[in-house]
Amino acid sequence: MPALWRRQRHFMSKTRLSRNLPPASARRGGCRPLQVHVTSPPPRTLPGGMARATWNGVLLAESDATVVVEGNHYFPADALKHEHFKASEHRSHCPWKGDASYYNLEVAGQVNENAAWTYPDPKAAANELKDHVAFWKGVQVEP
């Protein structure tokens, strides 16, 4: 039986993730266990271009200095149309960003509850998100 086939068969025959490693003797030949490191992605600021957030056809925020984290555009507070934002009692927690506060959006008599959030006092890893707001729940963000 070829050594590679033995390693693959041994690897595939185990059902628990903690046992899904070939024996040490097989790893000596260059096969190393997979190592996964869960870390927070670094925030990034998009260069140039204007990002816009709209809901029901109304502009909520517009900026060329958004910070993008985990696919969300965080708009600086001075880019918001504050007349559409009302503080919400809702809160959530992210292990690496910290505690989030939410806003209800009010446009033309309609309310979109908890559709925007911010990290008023973010953890050090997410310090770039201070005084920035992100959106979800049907808010269209166009970079």
Side-chain angles (χ1 to χ4, degrees):
M1 176 181 315
L4 178 61
W5 189 82
R6 276 196 308 268
R7 279 187 268 160
Q8 289 175 340
R9 187 179 69 148
H10 175 79
F11 184 77
M12 300 303 285
S13 69
K14 303 298 181 185
T15 56
R16 291 183 50 211
L17 182 59
S18 62
R19 292 187 180 180
N20 276 348
L21 296 175
S25 60
R27 287 195 305 261
R28 280 190 216 115
C31 180
R32 305 178 84 188
L34 176 67
Q35 295 180 352
V36 177
H37 299 280
V38 179
T39 60
S40 57
R44 62 186 176 98
T45 303
L46 291 182
M50 191 68 79
R52 298 169 43 96
T54 58
W55 183 61
N56 287 350
V58 175
L59 182 66
L60 302 171
E62 185 174 40
S63 176
D64 61 354
T66 61
V67 176
V68 180
V69 177
E70 298 175 336
N72 295 308
H73 284 264
Y74 285 80
F75 289 80
D78 61 359
L80 305 178
K81 307 295 182 190
H82 291 279
E83 63 270 17
H84 301 296
F85 292 76
K86 304 292 183 233
S88 167
E89 295 296 316
H90 186 70
R91 303 288 184 264
S92 67
H93 178 77
C94 172
W96 75 271
K97 290 179 272 187
D99 295 320
S101 298
Y102 288 76
Y103 294 101
N104 296 330
L105 302 176
E106 296 181 8
V107 171
Q110 294 185 327
V111 177
N112 190 346
E113 292 186 4
N114 307 318
W117 73 93
T118 185
Y119 292 92
D121 188 26
K123 292 185 176 184
N127 201 39
E128 288 187 61
L129 300 182
K130 186 164 183 64
D131 299 323
H132 283 67
V133 176
F135 301 93
W136 68 325
K137 289 192 167 183
V139 176
Q140 299 295 314
V141 176
E142 299 168 355

